[in-house]
Amino acid sequence: MEKGSVRKIAALVFRALTLAMGAAVVALSCLGSLETGTAITLLGIGLACAGAAMLEKA
């Protein structure tokens, strides 16, 4: 694989994880089965993935 291709795939994975973590927090919160500490951890992972995806573009 080319270097540019790997970077594009990594950026896509980070963006997908960002969306997935946000959706998971909303869904679990609506079901009432999410503790505050767990929600903060999931959102933190999503935020870190978003930051990694943005760094790739810089």
Side-chain angles (χ1 to χ4, degrees), residues 33-57:
S33 62
L34 185 65
E35 295 179 10
T36 305
T38 306
I40 291 171
T41 302
L42 291 174
L43 291 174
I45 293 169
L47 186 59
C49 289
M54 287 182 189
L55 280 176
E56 194 276 325
K57 290 185 178 187

Side-chain angles (χ1 to χ4, degrees), residues 7-35:
R7 286 185 179 198
K8 286 181 182 180
I9 292 171
L12 177 65
V13 168
F14 284 134
R15 283 184 265 151
L17 279 172
T18 300
L19 180 62
M21 290 300 168
V25 168
V26 170
L28 291 173
S29 180
C30 287
L31 292 172
S33 62
L34 185 65
E35 295 179 10

